[in-house]
Structures are given as C-alpha cells and as structure tokens.
C-alpha cells in the first residue's frame, strides 16, 4: 500500500474526530480538470472508489488520499504549432512577429488545445498518526509531499507541522554505520547505498546488490565519500531506503509479517487494504520511534523549520 514515507511532526494534536475530519475534507473533494484547467488537486477515497469515505481509521491512524489530475499538453506540441502560426502571419502580412505577439499567440493556442488534451491522475496516500503525533505522506518527492501538506493545511485552516531536524547529522551517522559494517537500534544494513563526495556533489556512486562491508565500499569511504542513502532492514520486519532528508523509500513488509497479519486471507480488496495499512502504520510507528531515538528527530537548532513553507499546490486551481 505505502511505498514511501515523508515525515512531518505535528506541533499540536489533531483536535478532530474522524467524522469531523471527514466533513472538512468533503469541502475539498477531488473534481476533474475543467476544459481550461491545467491541474486540480483534492481529496479522494483512500480505500478505493467503492467507498465514499474520505477518512479510514485504524489503530489510532487516519488514512487520507489526495488525488491530483493534470492535463498533458507537451510544450513541444505548442511550440511547433506556434512556429507554424507565426510563419503564416509573416508570409501573409509581410512583417515579423514580435515577442509580445508571440506570447499572446502561445496563450491562445494553449487555450485552444487544453480541452483536447489527455488527462492523467495520481493518488497520494497520507495518514495522521494521532498516537505518535506524526503526519506521514507516501510521496517520493519533497515537492509532492509539500503539495499534500499544503492541501491539508488549507482544508483545515491550520496545520502546524515541522520537518525532522535531527540532532545527529543523518549523513554522518549513515556513513559511520557503513564504515563499521553494521547499524544499531534494530537497524541492519541492506545491500544498497548511494555515496557522494561532499566537495563535489556531481561525484556520486550508486551501489546495489553489494556487501556494504566489503573492500570496494571501504575504498570509497577512504576517499572521502559519504553515505547519503542507505538500504536498511528493521528487525527483519520492514525494509526501506533511508535518505539524507530522513525520507523512507521502497517500503516493504516482510513476507512472514504479511502472513501473520492475515493480509492474504482477507475477504476482499478493501479488507486486504485495511489489513496491510494496519500492519504498515504499526511498523512505521515503531521505526519512526527508533529513528527518533537514534537521530533525535525533534532537533531544536536555529535551522528548524517550524512549519512547511508554501508550495506549488497554492497555484493549483480547485
């Protein structure tokens, strides 16, 4: 279900029941793009379209789903038609088309083409852990996660959250784990990592399917490279790749855990989703607690970001 986890610490408890949250989200329910809209973003059903509910509660966690739809209008198509239109005008009127006129022509062409453009939708799951006080967004990119957080903030009117601001620098600790050949606090090294030269950000080495305690990795570390991404195994229950920004990617529950959780025996797709979400959110709660213990996610330095900044979502038509 969840493939990624970007973490945002709630600065105050979410003072809404699942029913009250449902009512707030309903006011910003997803709607498709209009003929002249490039994108829309709103709330959709986390358990699938068979359910109209916008909030799914399980184990103290409230599962939400943002849905984004955008029209696919490649710039190359618009530019090609623009060049044809400009050539027609110059040939017919014997004059050059200036920059401002080109801009107006491009706007006109875009308006003409948008209603005919295909649309593409994506679902972004997120959940609020009301027990541990975290908002978790299933987004691979920081920008997409910020879009969802901004949507939730605008829906609720206020959402004080903070990004993890570790007391112990992530890169330094991950590099130390690889150099020692083992992790700590229940985290075991996987078989993949990304190393980068701090003096040259273009100098990057990506390793997959390797013994991270081997000689090849050790040589990279001796040359000054640092670990910026690291595959980890949490207590043989959950595997993921931890980034320098403390995002978790490629989440995967252990097969034994899925069997124990009864996911395969669930009666239907919705029951399977509920079982898998219950397992994943429970494991992530423990993983985040362990990460907090190792890195000190609350931080407290002057560089802490007390609230997520405005993002591109503010420009999306609703």
């Amino acid at each position: 279900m969840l493939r990624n986890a970007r973490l945002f610490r709630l600065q105050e408890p979410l003072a809404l029941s699942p029913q009250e949250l449902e009512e707030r989200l309903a006011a910003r329910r997803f709607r498709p793009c209009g003929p002249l809209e490039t994108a829309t973003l709103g709330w959709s059903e986390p358990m699938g379209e068979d359910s109209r509910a916008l909030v799914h509660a399980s184990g103290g966690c409230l599962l939400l789903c943002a849905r984004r739809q955008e029209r696919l209008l490649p710039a190359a198509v618009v530019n090609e038609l623009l060049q044809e239109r400009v050539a027609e005008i110059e040939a017919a009127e014997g004059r050059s088309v200036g920059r401002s006129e080109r801009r107006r022509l491009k706007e006109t062409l875009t308006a003409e083409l948008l209603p005919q453009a295909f649309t593409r939708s994506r679902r972004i799951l997120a959940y609020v852990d009301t027990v541990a006080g975290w908002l978790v967004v299933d987004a691979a990119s920081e920008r997409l996660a910020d879009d969802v957080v901004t949507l939730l903030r605008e829906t609720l009117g206020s959402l004080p959250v903070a990004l993890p601001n570790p007391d112990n620098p992530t890169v330094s600790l991950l590099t130390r784990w690889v150099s020692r050949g083992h992790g700590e606090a229940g985290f075991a090294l996987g078989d993949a990592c990304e190393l980068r030269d701090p003096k040259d950000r273009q100098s990057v080495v990506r390793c997959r399917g390797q013994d991270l305690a081997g000689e090849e990795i050790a040589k990279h570390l001796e040359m000054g490279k640092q670990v910026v991404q690291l595959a980890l195994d949490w207590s043989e229950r959950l595997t993921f790749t931890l980034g320098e920004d403390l995002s978790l990617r490629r989440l995967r529950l252990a097969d034994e855990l899925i069997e124990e959780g009864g996911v395969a025996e669930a009666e239907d797709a919705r029951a399977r989703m509920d079982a898998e979400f219950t397992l994943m959110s429970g494991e992530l709660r423990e993983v985040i607690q362990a990460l907090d213990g190792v890195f000190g996610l609350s931080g407290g330095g002057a560089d802490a970001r007390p609230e997520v900044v405005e993002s591109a979502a503010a420009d999306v038509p609703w």
Side-chain angles (χ1 to χ4, degrees):
M1 173 181 273
L2 297 175
R3 299 179 181 177
N4 309 281
R6 287 190 173 268
L7 312 179
F8 301 85
R9 185 185 290 276
L10 299 179
Q11 298 300 284
E12 55 188 50
L14 183 67
L16 292 172
S17 68
Q19 293 74 22
E20 291 170 331
L21 180 58
E22 175 85 25
E23 293 176 1
R24 299 285 188 92
L25 298 185
R28 300 294 285 269
R29 185 181 285 272
F30 167 79
R31 62 171 180 79
C33 289
L36 299 180
E37 290 180 314
T38 57
T40 57
L41 181 66
W43 298 110
S44 185
E45 302 83 359
M47 301 301 286
E49 296 181 357
D50 292 339
S51 169
R52 292 289 294 170
L54 298 176
V55 178
H56 178 73
S58 176
C61 294
L62 304 176
L63 180 65
L64 319 174
C65 178
R67 182 177 175 185
R68 180 184 179 89
Q69 185 177 88
E70 55 188 347
R71 290 195 175 274
L72 305 178
L73 185 58
V77 172
V78 177
N79 291 333
E80 182 177 348
L81 291 177
L82 176 62
Q83 294 303 322
E84 294 177 3
R85 189 71 59 87
V86 168
E88 291 173 1
I89 294 174
E90 291 179 342
E93 302 180 13
R95 64 179 180 84
S96 298
V97 176
R99 180 178 300 177
S100 60
E101 187 176 1
R102 280 176 175 266
R103 183 171 59 252
R104 290 194 298 272
L105 285 171
K106 187 172 184 178
E107 292 172 355
T108 300
L109 282 171
T110 300
E112 293 175 358
L113 294 171
L114 267 179
Q116 308 170 42
F118 291 105
T119 58
R120 176 179 62 187
S121 296
R122 68 165 66 180
R123 289 161 44 90
I124 309 104
L125 293 173
Y127 71 88
V128 179
D129 188 334
T130 62
V131 175
W134 288 93
L135 169 63
V136 179
V137 182
D138 181 4
S141 71
E142 178 182 354
R143 176 170 178 169
L144 188 58
D146 279 356
D147 284 352
V148 174
V149 174
T150 299
L151 174 61
L152 186 55
R153 176 181 296 117
E154 293 179 349
T155 301
L156 302 181
S158 176
L159 183 67
V161 296
L163 291 170
N165 182 46
D167 292 321
N168 299 316
T170 311
V171 171
S172 298
L173 192 51
L174 294 183
T175 302
R176 188 184 315 151
W177 285 2
V178 174
S179 66
R180 292 177 176 176
H182 62 84
E184 56 184 286
F187 295 105
L189 302 187
D191 63 354
C193 72
E194 180 175 310
L195 304 105
R196 187 175 64 216
D197 189 334
K199 298 179 181 179
D200 181 7
R201 297 185 66 85
Q202 301 301 315
S203 179
V204 177
V205 176
R206 296 179 177 88
C207 305
R208 186 175 297 277
Q210 293 194 22
D211 178 8
L212 301 188
E215 183 177 349
E216 182 177 349
I217 301 298
K219 289 182 178 179
H220 286 298
L221 296 178
E222 290 174 5
M223 295 174 63
K225 286 186 173 62
Q226 297 178 327
V227 179
V228 295
Q229 289 189 41
L230 179 60
L232 293 170
D233 185 322
W234 161 252
S235 299
E236 298 183 349
R237 298 173 67 84
L238 180 68
T239 60
F240 58 91
T241 298
L242 184 66
E244 61 181 319
D245 58 355
L246 288 167
S247 62
L248 288 71
R249 301 182 183 179
R250 302 184 184 91
L251 295 169
R252 181 173 179 177
L253 292 166
D255 292 339
E256 294 80 2
L257 189 63
I258 293 176
E259 291 179 5
E260 293 173 6
V263 175
E265 289 76 21
E267 296 180 356
D268 52 36
R270 184 176 177 182
R272 284 194 296 274
M273 290 178 66
D274 175 63
E276 188 172 348
F277 173 64
T278 301
L279 283 174
M280 180 65 79
S281 58
E283 291 303 313
L284 281 176
R285 181 182 292 164
E286 295 190 21
V287 167
I288 294 171
Q289 183 178 3
L291 290 174
D292 196 1
V294 173
F295 293 95
L297 302 186
S298 299
D303 295 332
R305 289 171 59 185
E307 191 163 342
V308 178
V309 298
E310 292 292 333
S311 73
D315 299 326
V316 175
W318 310 104

